mmCIF file of all heavy atoms in Angstrom:
data_model
loop_
_atom_site.group_PDB
_atom_site.id
_atom_site.type_symbol
_atom_site.label_atom_id
_atom_site.label_comp_id
_atom_site.label_asym_id
_atom_site.label_seq_id
_atom_site.Cartn_x
_atom_site.Cartn_y
_atom_site.Cartn_z
ATOM 1 N N VAL U 973 7.046 25.996 15.098
ATOM 2 C CA VAL U 973 8.101 26.125 16.108
ATOM 3 C C VAL U 973 8.955 24.894 16.158
ATOM 4 O O VAL U 973 10.190 24.958 16.244
ATOM 5 C CB VAL U 973 7.483 26.429 17.493
ATOM 6 C CG1 VAL U 973 8.508 26.304 18.602
ATOM 7 C CG2 VAL U 973 6.871 27.839 17.491
ATOM 8 N N LYS U 1017 36.229 17.599 -1.613
ATOM 9 C CA LYS U 1017 35.296 16.710 -2.324
ATOM 10 C C LYS U 1017 34.391 16.113 -1.266
ATOM 11 O O LYS U 1017 34.844 15.409 -0.365
ATOM 12 C CB LYS U 1017 36.080 15.610 -3.038
ATOM 13 C CG LYS U 1017 36.993 16.132 -4.123
ATOM 14 C CD LYS U 1017 37.783 14.974 -4.757
ATOM 15 C CE LYS U 1017 38.718 15.493 -5.819
ATOM 16 N NZ LYS U 1017 39.578 14.426 -6.370
ATOM 17 N N SER U 1039 11.130 8.919 14.361
ATOM 18 C CA SER U 1039 10.703 9.776 13.255
ATOM 19 C C SER U 1039 10.291 8.994 12.028
ATOM 20 O O SER U 1039 9.715 9.589 11.097
ATOM 21 C CB SER U 1039 11.861 10.711 12.878
ATOM 22 O OG SER U 1039 12.258 11.485 13.974
ATOM 23 N N VAL U 1053 26.985 15.918 -9.740
ATOM 24 C CA VAL U 1053 27.816 14.823 -9.211
ATOM 25 C C VAL U 1053 28.996 14.568 -10.152
ATOM 26 O O VAL U 1053 28.852 14.667 -11.389
ATOM 27 C CB VAL U 1053 27.013 13.532 -8.998
ATOM 28 C CG1 VAL U 1053 26.512 12.933 -10.287
ATOM 29 C CG2 VAL U 1053 27.794 12.524 -8.187
ATOM 30 N N GLN U 1054 30.150 14.303 -9.560
ATOM 31 C CA GLN U 1054 31.346 13.959 -10.320
ATOM 32 C C GLN U 1054 31.814 12.597 -9.868
ATOM 33 O O GLN U 1054 31.561 12.190 -8.726
ATOM 34 C CB GLN U 1054 32.417 15.012 -10.112
ATOM 35 C CG GLN U 1054 31.988 16.382 -10.622
ATOM 36 C CD GLN U 1054 33.118 17.393 -10.581
ATOM 37 O OE1 GLN U 1054 34.295 17.044 -10.567
ATOM 38 N NE2 GLN U 1054 32.751 18.648 -10.603
ATOM 39 N N LYS U 1057 37.962 7.379 -10.133
ATOM 40 C CA LYS U 1057 38.483 6.183 -9.473
ATOM 41 C C LYS U 1057 39.436 6.662 -8.374
ATOM 42 O O LYS U 1057 40.394 7.355 -8.635
ATOM 43 C CB LYS U 1057 39.172 5.216 -10.433
ATOM 44 C CG LYS U 1057 39.620 3.974 -9.748
ATOM 45 C CD LYS U 1057 39.989 2.868 -10.714
ATOM 46 C CE LYS U 1057 40.332 1.658 -9.896
ATOM 47 N NZ LYS U 1057 40.413 0.462 -10.677
ATOM 48 N N ALA U 1063 38.217 1.977 -6.156
ATOM 49 C CA ALA U 1063 36.815 1.980 -6.606
ATOM 50 C C ALA U 1063 36.444 3.358 -7.183
ATOM 51 O O ALA U 1063 37.094 4.343 -6.856
ATOM 52 C CB ALA U 1063 35.896 1.622 -5.436
#
Side-chain angles (χ1 to χ4, degrees):
V973 168
K1017 296 177 181 176
S1039 302
V1053 67
Q1054 298 187 20
K1057 184 166 183 166

